[in-house]
Amino acid sequence: MRILLSLAALLLLATFAPLRLYRDPPVPDEARLWFDPVALDAPIGGLAFLGGWALRSNDRRFGGISAIHVEDGEVLALSDRGVLLGFDLPLRQGARIRIRPLREVPGNPEDKRDRDTEAMAVRGDSIWVAFERRNSVWRYDRGTLRRAGSAAPEPMRDWFSNSGPEAMARLGGDRFLVVSERSRRGARFSEAVLFEGDPTRSSTRLAQIAIRRPQDYRVTDAARLPDGRILLLHRRFSYFEGVSAKLTSLDEKDLKPGGFASVSEVAHFPASLKLDNFEGLSVTREDGRTILWIATDDNFNAVQRTLLLKFALDD
C-alpha cells in the first residue's frame, strides 16, 4: 500500500507541476530550423499569398509564438514562455536558431504565469515586452536582454489576468498602443491604452480607449502600416468549426482619449483553411509593396503547427 501511495504521489507531481513551473528543457548543442512549404489555395480578400512554411526545430523551446518582428532579413519571435527566437530570411533547411530566454521577469522566473509574454515592439536596441498575467510592460536592452525599464500602468491593472495585454504596436511620434485580449465591456470590445511615449516610464501620458472589434473575435497582435493605419489581428475558436481569424484596420486619428475606435475588415481566414492559432503580425516593405508576416502559436502541442505566412497587402 505504501508503494502504491508513493507511486500515486509521483504521478500527481509529474502531472501538475509542469503547469506552474518553467524550466529550460534539455537543449541540443545547436538549435536548428527545418520547414515544410504550406500552400494556400483559397483567395484571401485584400491579401496576395506569397508563401507559407510550417516550422519545426530540434530544440524544445521553439514554439508558442505570440509575437513577431521582421526586419533586415531577420525574424525575431517571442514565445509565450518568455523566450526570444531569432532566425534569418530567406529560410534555409537546418539553419541555426538563436534562442534566448528572458532571465528578468515580473515575479518568479520559474513560474510560467510570470513568464507569459504575449506582445512585443522593437526599435533599435530596445525591445518592449507585455506580460499578460502581470498586466505590465517591460523594456529590455536588445543585446544583453537586461531590463531597462518597466511599469504596470494603472489603467491596465484591472484587465483580466489571463486576457490582459495581447497586442502592442509602436505608432507615429514614438507613441505606443497596447490592447487587451478581451474587455469587461462585452464580446465586441477590447480595452486599449494609448501611450504618448515609452510605456515603461511612469511619467508618460496615457489615455484609455475602447476598440470595437468583430463579434466573438479576440485581438492577438497589432502592427502599424506605412500609411499610418493600424492593423489588428483577431482570432476566434469554436469547438464545432475550429480556429478562424480576421485582419482589420483602424485609423490612428480615431484613437481619441476615452473614446471608441471601430475597425474595418481587411481579410478573413475561415476555419476551413485550417491555419491554426494566429498570434503574431509584422509589417515590412519589399519592392515597393507592403508585406505582412503572420505567425501561429502551436501551444507546444504536437497536433498544432508553427506557421510563418507571407502576404502582400493590396494597397
Side-chain angles (χ1 to χ4, degrees):
M1 176 63 71
R2 184 173 299 171
I3 294 176
L4 290 177
L5 289 174
S6 298
L7 288 174
L10 288 173
L11 179 60
L12 286 172
L13 180 62
T15 301
F16 293 106
L19 295 178
R20 188 178 67 85
L21 296 181
Y22 172 86
R23 295 283 193 276
D24 287 344
V27 299
D29 292 335
E30 281 193 317
R32 298 288 179 176
L33 178 72
W34 287 272
F35 59 89
D36 298 306
V38 172
L40 187 58
D41 299 327
I44 303 296
L47 302 178
F49 180 64
L50 301 181
W53 305 268
L55 310 178
R56 61 186 189 279
S57 173
N58 61 333
D59 194 306
R60 294 174 58 190
R61 294 171 296 177
F62 184 84
I65 291 176
S66 58
I68 60 171
H69 176 80
V70 182
E71 185 180 16
D72 296 333
E74 180 190 23
V75 177
L76 183 65
L78 176 70
S79 86
D80 59 11
R81 294 185 179 180
V83 177
L84 284 169
L85 314 166
F87 52 92
D88 296 328
L89 295 173
L91 298 177
R92 293 183 298 106
Q93 297 286 8
R96 182 172 172 268
I97 307 174
R98 298 170 288 279
I99 298 184
R100 300 190 296 164
L102 298 175
R103 300 301 181 187
E104 297 180 79
V105 299
N108 181 1
E110 296 183 352
D111 191 329
K112 184 188 180 300
R113 292 170 297 187
D114 292 338
R115 303 185 63 84
D116 191 358
T117 49
E118 294 290 344
M120 173 177 66
V122 180
R123 184 193 181 192
D125 295 330
S126 295
I127 299 176
W128 289 264
V129 172
F131 289 84
E132 182 177 39
R133 294 176 186 268
R134 287 289 185 153
N135 290 334
S136 62
V137 181
W138 283 39
R139 175 166 47 90
Y140 293 89
D141 178 271
R142 188 169 181 174
T144 64
L145 291 189
R146 291 189 177 277
R147 180 178 64 167
S150 62
E154 192 277 331
M156 294 169 49
R157 291 175 188 171
D158 65 346
W159 288 1
F160 292 106
S161 63
N162 195 30
S163 299
E166 188 76 19
M168 177 165 49
R170 184 176 167 271
L171 311 181
D174 291 329
R175 300 192 300 168
F176 284 77
L177 180 68
V178 179
V179 186
S180 68
E181 184 176 355
R182 62 191 180 101
S183 167
R184 300 182 190 278
R185 298 174 187 259
R188 290 299 303 271
F189 296 95
S190 280
E191 301 288 351
V193 177
L194 178 65
F195 295 88
E196 294 297 330
D198 188 340
T200 68
R201 299 183 187 277
S202 59
S203 60
T204 297
R205 291 188 303 168
L206 53 81
Q208 293 179 265
I209 297 167
I211 296 177
R212 187 178 288 107
R213 51 185 168 79
Q215 180 74 35
D216 298 328
Y217 281 82
R218 296 186 178 185
V219 175
T220 58
D221 209 353
R224 183 178 185 268
L225 290 171
D227 64 9
R229 287 180 297 157
I230 302 166
L231 287 181
L232 293 173
L233 189 62
H234 309 259
R235 173 197 59 220
R236 176 179 179 268
F237 173 74
S238 166
Y239 286 106
F240 302 102
E241 299 176 9
V243 179
S244 61
K246 285 183 184 291
L247 189 68
T248 68
S249 69
L250 59 84
D251 289 328
E252 194 169 332
K253 67 177 185 296
D254 292 336
L255 299 176
K256 301 184 185 301
F260 293 84
S262 296
V263 300
S264 300
E265 183 170 314
V266 175
H268 174 61
F269 300 85
S272 59
L273 293 177
K274 301 186 184 303
L275 290 177
D276 291 301
N277 181 19
F278 281 47
E279 285 270 356
L281 174 67
S282 185
V283 175
T284 61
R285 292 285 290 176
E286 188 176 300
D287 298 326
R289 296 185 298 177
T290 299
I291 304 299
L292 307 186
W293 301 86
I294 297 177
T296 67
D297 176 2
D298 68 351
N299 293 305
F300 294 98
N301 189 322
V303 300
Q304 293 181 263
R305 298 176 296 172
T306 298
L307 301 180
L308 180 64
L309 307 174
K310 182 181 182 181
F311 300 90
L313 179 65
D314 183 0
D315 293 329

